[in-house]
Amino acid sequence: MRTRTMRIAACVLAVAVAISLAGCSSGAKDGAPANLGDAVGTAKDNASIATCRTNRATLGQLLSTSASTAEGTPPTLAQLVAENKVICPSGGAYSLNAATGKVACSVHGE
């Protein structure tokens, strides 16, 4: 129990130090979050954007691979999304941009 408490305290301290070093204290600089809640929200948004970008790249690779190796009709983007349970963390929908051939998200774009 004591070890768990110490780990939690160490994590809280590490987050506090990281935030203060990033300029997220009460005297935040231009564009920097003014408080911990804003910093956490920004980190969550950045993580969602990165996850969505990775999902789009993965789906694009799956489309390319399946198109070149599939016997018969290759799977559609919708089939790949359903089979692989790929979702945008922000609730966006994935689609294929016919002009560029890239997978796009309704929230995060290409």
Side-chain angles (χ1 to χ4, degrees):
M1 181 69 169
R2 183 173 178 195
T3 303
R4 182 171 184 249
T5 304
M6 291 177 68
R7 285 184 193 161
I8 292 171
C11 288
V12 169
L13 179 60
V15 169
V17 168
I19 290 171
S20 66
L21 290 175
C24 296
S25 61
S26 59
K29 304 218 183 324
D30 297 328
N35 59 50
L36 180 59
D38 291 343
V40 170
T42 300
K44 185 176 177 183
D45 292 342
N46 289 342
S48 294
I49 291 167
T51 300
C52 184
R53 182 182 315 120
T54 301
N55 288 347
R56 293 190 315 269
T58 301
L59 289 168
Q61 285 291 70
L62 287 171
L63 281 171
S64 297
T65 302
S66 63
S68 63
T69 61
E71 294 179 16
T73 306
T76 65
L77 178 63
Q79 290 169 328
L80 290 173
V81 167
E83 288 171 11
N84 295 286
K85 297 177 178 58
V86 180
I87 60 167
C88 171
S90 298
Y94 294 118
S95 62
L96 186 61
N97 183 330
T100 65
K102 292 184 178 181
V103 177
C105 172
S106 61
V107 174
H108 301 109
E110 284 185 18

